[in-house]
Amino acid sequence: MIDLHGYGPRLAEGALITIELAVLSLVLAILLGLATASAKMSRNWVLHRVATLYTTIIRGVPDLVLMMLLFFGGQIGINMITDMLYDRFGVDIFINVNEFIAGVVTIGLIFGAYMGETFRGAFMAVDAGQIEAGRAYGMNHWLVFRRIRFPQMMRHAIPGLSNNWMVLLKTTALVSVIGLTDMVRVASEASKATREPFTFMIIVAVIYLLIASLSEWGFARLQKRYDVGYGEAD
Amino acid sequence: MADTPIPLEVRNIKKRFGDTEVLKGLSLTAQKGDVITLIGASGSGKSTFLRCMNLLEQPDEGELVVHGEQILFKETSKGREPADWKQVVRMRAKLSMVFQGFNLWAHMTLLENVIEAPVHVLGKPKKEAIAHARELLERVGLSARADAYPAQMSGGQQQRGAIARALAMDPEVMLFDEPTSALDPELVGDVLKVMRDLAAEGRTMIVVTHEMAFARDVSSQVIYLHEGRVEEAGAPADVLENPRSERLKQFLAPKH
């Protein structure tokens, strides 16, 4: 048996944080992605510009830089606001940027931009006649979205979604730089303390691989579900 | 039946695409049980006219009265729009459309397609909708295909399924947009037979078609459109058997 020098429980906690972080970021990224895709497809040019600016910035700046900007910059911004509140109104509050929330927000923001492109392509792949039939039968926008546009779009989105998820999962390793004790950070501390980096890194690698394989299986099932009605070949 | 509202009245519809005026003031009244066929060359505006009736296209001018209810419009910077989308949704539920390309929802089985709008738009209980759907599928000869997906069905089956979907709404008027044009010739007959049966039972129908035999045998009124205007209109015996204008004579002449 591998000797973990007592780091087992902390590694498990770190793994849990990694998973929580990844899942919550994914949820945020999906919501942002849907909003971005809708904005980019909308005829409203303000929405269109805002969405384009967002994806351009996010996709053009390294993830690590963005994360530090948001974490440290966010704290400075919040401090400025609370200072102003104190000066003007005498309200004394102190808000500390929580590393976990900062991590979720940053990763969610980053992958929201990628999801936006994935969803936009997928929405555009839905046959216009399908939407038109919904409208012709008295469905309002929301009903058309919920019953037709979304389920048909998902079929086209899942390959991209699954790819984004894999990258997102691995991006969570970056949060250790803002002080979040995910499993990479625990492993790195343990490696230094025990001088057995290989032991801990291989464990981390295996855990990532395990999550990734499970997800791949999950996405394959999801794809099957949304492929219903389209035959095997397409 | 004097006090039942007229199912559909359309007055002076005009529509432009860019600089081209494609509909130049078209009117039509569908009384209960009428079968009105719209014929004309491609580009004559017949499909656009039909699509204006349920506002899949927004007419720039003109009035629509569905089952006695006048559709309200408002002027915006982008042109004329319906004033009340809830009203549009309500009127669309009374006019069901059968499309040239069928447009059955691909991710649903045939039965799910037929119950979709009754359940989610009209709020009909699911059990009731299913029972009704099964009757309708029986009528169009598709009982055995209830659980099939559109991609697993032939074009003719899909179109008959689409007709069942339209019937499930208990519509005031059924709009058919070239329902047989996308079908292989040997599949056209089955679809036309279903449509003839519907006409025979007194359904109010407006049909854009190239099937002259259907127009002649089934319609109460034929409207021949040319470049967005009514060139000739009347009983099929007059319009199709004794065309007055040269254009219609040419249009009806057998092509070899």
Side-chain angles (χ1 to χ4, degrees):
Chain A
M1 193 59 205
I2 311 161
D3 183 10
L4 293 176
H5 304 280
Y7 278 98
R10 283 196 61 204
L11 261 179
E13 275 169 40
L16 201 63
I17 287 194
T18 297
I19 293 171
E20 284 171 359
L21 185 69
V23 170
L24 286 175
S25 308
L26 178 73
V27 172
L28 181 63
I30 287 176
L31 293 176
L32 276 171
L34 286 172
T36 308
S38 311
K40 282 203 171 180
M41 291 185 300
S42 111
R43 275 174 294 178
N44 181 324
W45 69 272
V46 178
L47 285 178
H48 195 273
R49 290 265 175 94
V50 170
T52 308
L53 186 71
Y54 164 56
T55 51
T56 307
I57 291 176
I58 297 287
R59 295 200 294 179
V61 178
D63 297 353
L64 186 58
V65 177
L66 270 175
M67 191 169 289
M68 293 205 271
L69 269 176
L70 266 147
F71 181 64
F72 298 115
Q75 183 68 66
I76 293 167
I78 287 173
N79 288 350
M80 278 164 72
I81 292 170
T82 51
D83 284 354
M84 187 203 77
L85 285 176
Y86 182 73
D87 290 343
R88 291 265 180 90
F89 309 105
V91 186
D92 193 7
I93 41 175
F94 181 75
I95 302 169
N96 205 352
V97 173
N98 172 298
E99 292 92 350
F100 185 76
I101 292 172
V104 168
V105 169
T106 317
I107 297 175
L109 266 176
I110 293 169
F111 284 88
Y114 295 103
M115 294 288 187
E117 291 305 303
T118 301
F119 284 134
R120 191 168 68 110
F123 275 121
M124 291 197 309
V126 176
D127 175 41
Q130 299 280 310
I131 308 298
E132 196 160 70
R135 294 205 292 140
Y137 278 83
M139 294 188 184
N140 59 27
H141 276 296
W142 168 238
L143 206 52
V144 167
F145 179 83
R146 194 164 62 85
R147 301 292 305 171
I148 301 165
R149 210 190 275 271
F150 185 79
Q152 294 205 4
M153 172 282 286
M154 278 305 277
R155 171 172 174 261
H156 301 287
I158 285 172
L161 205 65
S162 130
N163 195 41
N164 284 343
W165 159 253
M166 297 295 178
V167 183
L168 181 153
L169 178 66
K170 294 186 286 179
T171 302
T172 58
L174 292 182
V175 294
S176 53
V177 301
I178 58 171
L180 201 60
T181 40
D182 72 321
M183 66 172 164
V184 176
R185 188 171 174 114
V186 175
S188 139
E189 283 170 10
S191 308
K192 282 176 201 151
T194 62
R195 301 194 184 170
E196 287 177 27
F198 190 72
T199 314
F200 290 99
M201 286 307 158
I202 202 92
I203 289 172
V204 166
V206 167
I207 295 175
Y208 271 118
L209 204 57
L210 204 69
I211 303 172
S213 314
L214 269 172
S215 327
E216 226 165 300
W217 174 81
F219 276 111
R221 287 194 50 151
L222 210 58
Q223 184 76 62
K224 217 170 183 174
R225 198 191 126 186
Y226 282 108
D227 272 349
V228 149
Y230 291 88
E232 302 283 34
D234 200 32
Chain B
M1 300 286 277
D3 40 8
T4 32
I6 296 168
L8 179 65
E9 279 182 276
V10 182
R11 290 190 213 110
N12 197 31
I13 295 288
K14 291 187 184 173
K15 173 74 183 167
R16 267 180 304 275
F17 288 123
D19 291 335
T20 325
E21 189 169 40
V22 288
L23 304 180
K24 298 166 181 159
L26 296 174
S27 302
L28 165 160
T29 302
Q31 302 281 358
K32 200 157 174 36
D34 275 355
V35 177
I36 301 176
T37 45
L38 300 170
I39 60 171
S42 55
S44 60
K46 53 195 192 306
S47 278
T48 307
F49 185 33
L50 192 76
R51 290 162 58 81
C52 280
M53 294 179 200
N54 63 358
L55 296 177
L56 284 182
E57 300 286 354
Q58 302 301 323
D60 298 314
E61 278 178 54
E63 289 177 62
L64 285 167
V65 185
V66 180
H67 198 63
E69 188 176 342
Q70 170 114 29
I71 306 301
L72 306 170
F73 292 95
K74 64 173 182 210
E75 293 296 333
T76 70
S77 56
K78 279 176 256 164
R80 203 165 77 141
E81 273 181 18
D84 178 4
W85 279 102
K86 286 207 177 108
Q87 186 187 40
V88 173
V89 162
R90 197 163 61 231
M91 74 85 116
R92 280 177 178 159
K94 288 182 185 148
L95 310 173
S96 25
M97 186 173 249
V98 176
F99 298 87
Q100 181 177 357
F102 331 129
N103 294 357
L104 284 174
W105 294 302
H107 61 301
M108 299 179 193
T109 64
L110 179 56
L111 187 75
E112 286 167 345
N113 263 280
V114 178
I115 66 168
E116 178 66 19
V119 170
H120 289 98
V121 176
L122 303 179
K124 203 171 182 178
K126 201 166 175 183
K127 243 183 163 169
E128 210 176 287
I130 291 175
H132 190 206
R134 292 209 184 274
E135 275 169 40
L136 294 171
L137 290 180
E138 171 92 52
R139 278 196 46 187
V140 299
L142 289 175
S143 295
R145 308 294 279 148
D147 297 321
Y149 287 92
Q152 300 165 329
M153 294 158 52
S154 74
Q157 290 178 338
Q158 287 189 57
Q159 196 59 304
R160 282 183 284 142
I163 292 173
R165 172 173 72 171
L167 285 169
M169 297 297 279
D170 284 322
E172 284 289 316
V173 181
M174 296 177 78
L175 309 175
F176 292 83
D177 188 5
E178 302 201 26
T180 56
S181 300
L183 295 176
D184 292 337
E186 74 270 22
L187 301 174
V188 170
D190 287 346
V191 171
L192 287 180
K193 182 175 179 308
V194 170
M195 290 172 63
R196 281 168 191 266
D197 291 346
L198 293 176
E201 71 176 43
R203 291 272 170 190
T204 314
M205 298 158 65
I206 301 176
V207 187
V208 170
T209 188
H210 292 287
E211 296 290 333
M212 290 306 146
F214 176 86
R216 191 179 56 231
D217 301 347
V218 180
S219 23
S220 47
Q221 194 189 356
V222 177
I223 300 176
Y224 171 63
L225 295 182
H226 178 73
E227 290 181 354
R229 280 204 181 84
V230 177
E231 181 105 349
E232 281 188 47
D238 297 330
V239 176
L240 298 177
E241 309 296 334
N242 299 301
R244 276 167 292 141
S245 77
E246 267 316 300
R247 262 197 214 101
L248 180 53
K249 276 178 196 162
Q250 251 181 16
F251 179 74
L252 293 172
K255 290 154 190 98
H256 296 289

